[in-house]
C-alpha cells in the first residue's frame, strides 16, 4: 500500500490539495546540472517535442524539467492554432510557475497522468492553466533517470479541447518518454548536452 503524497500548497477556497510536495527537487537540479541540462532551450528537445506533437496529434507539447520553484520547457512545440500561438510573456512561454499545470504531479508520483477533460477532476480543474491559458486536456509521462531512478522531468502534450487520449495515447507517451531518456543517457555518455 502506497503512502499518500504530502502536498505543499492548498486552495483555501475549495480545500483541495494542489501542488505536491517535491522533496527530490534539490537532488534533481544537481543531477540535471551533472547531465548538462540547464535552463536554456535544447534544439534536440524542441525537435523531440515536435515529433511528440505529430505522433499524438496534439497542438502543444513540451519536454519539461522542474526545480523547487518553477518548470522549464527545454523542449517546446506549439502548432499555432489561431489565437493560441505561444508567445513569450507572463502566461505562456518556456518558464511556468511550479504550481501551474500538471507535470509536478507526474514527477512526484513517477507515473503517467492522462486527463481527457481536466474539468472532470476537481483537484485539477482549478489549476491556473485552465483559466489563464485555456488548457482542457493533458497527457504526460515522467522522465526516469536510468542512473538514479529519479524523475528528472516530464514529456507532455496539452490541448485547449477535450481529448480522448485513451490507452493507446498512454502507451505512446510512456514509450516516447523512455526513448527520450535513452537519448539523454547517450548524450551524457558523449559528454553532456
Amino acid at each position: 500500500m502506497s503512502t499518500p503524497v504530502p502536498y505543499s500548497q492548498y486552495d483555501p477556497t475549495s480545500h483541495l490539495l494542489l501542488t505536491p510536495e517535491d522533496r527530490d527537487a534539490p537532488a534533481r537540479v544537481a543531477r540535471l546540472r551533472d547531465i548538462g541540462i540547464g535552463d536554456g532551450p535544447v534544439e534536440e528537445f524542441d525537435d523531440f517535442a515536435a515529433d511528440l506533437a505529430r505522433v499524438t496529434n496534439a497542438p502543444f507539447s513540451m519536454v519539461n524539467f522542474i526545480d523547487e520553484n518553477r518548470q522549464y520547457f527545454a523542449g517546446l512545440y506549439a502548432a499555432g492554432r489561431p489565437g493560441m500561438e505561444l508567445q513569450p510573456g507572463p502566461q505562456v512561454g518556456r518558464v511556468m510557475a511550479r504550481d501551474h499545470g500538471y507535470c509536478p504531479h507526474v514527477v512526484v508520483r513517477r507515473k503517467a497522468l492522462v486527463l481527457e477533460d481536466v474539468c472532470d477532476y476537481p483537484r485539477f480543474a482549478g489549476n491556473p492553466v485552465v483559466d489563464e491559458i485555456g488548457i482542457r486536456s493533458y497527457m504526460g509521462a515522467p522522465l526516469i533517470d536510468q542512473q538514479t531512478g529519479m524523475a528528472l522531468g516530464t514529456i507532455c502534450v496539452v490541448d485547449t479541447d477535450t481529448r480522448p487520449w485513451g490507452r493507446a495515447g498512454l502507451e505512446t507517451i510512456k514509450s516516447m518518454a523512455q526513448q527520450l531518456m535513452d537519448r539523454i543517457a547517450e548524450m551524457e555518455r558523449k559528454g553532456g548536452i
Side-chain angles (χ1 to χ4, degrees), residues 7-22:
Y7 286 78
S8 60
Q9 186 178 40
Y10 295 88
D11 178 350
T13 61
S14 69
H15 306 290
L16 291 176
L17 303 169
L18 295 178
T19 308
E21 184 177 345
D22 184 0

Side-chain angles (χ1 to χ4, degrees), residues 61-174:
S61 63
M62 290 71 103
V63 176
N64 186 13
F65 298 102
I66 301 170
D67 66 21
E68 296 96 328
N69 304 306
R70 67 182 186 121
Q71 304 175 65
Y72 184 77
F73 305 128
L76 179 62
Y77 174 83
R81 286 187 173 180
M84 285 302 298
E85 294 85 359
L86 290 178
Q87 301 291 330
Q91 292 185 339
V92 181
R94 289 210 184 246
V95 177
M96 184 182 294
R98 192 177 165 279
D99 63 346
H100 285 51
Y102 311 105
C103 290
H105 296 272
V106 172
V107 166
V108 170
R109 291 172 27 152
R110 298 173 33 90
K111 292 182 182 177
L113 177 63
V114 176
L115 303 170
E116 294 181 347
D117 183 348
V118 298
C119 294
D120 287 344
Y121 303 87
R123 172 186 288 172
F124 300 120
N127 194 284
V129 298
V130 175
D131 293 330
E132 293 176 16
I133 303 172
I135 300 303
R136 283 297 303 272
S137 60
Y138 169 91
M139 181 170 60
L143 296 171
I144 305 296
D145 183 32
Q146 296 172 358
Q147 185 175 343
T148 65
M150 181 185 323
L152 298 179
T154 67
I155 61 170
C156 70
V157 292
V158 298
D159 200 331
T160 56
D161 295 320
T162 59
R163 290 287 300 268
W165 304 109
R167 181 59 127 179
L170 176 63
E171 293 307 318
T172 296
I173 201 154
K174 287 167 55 176

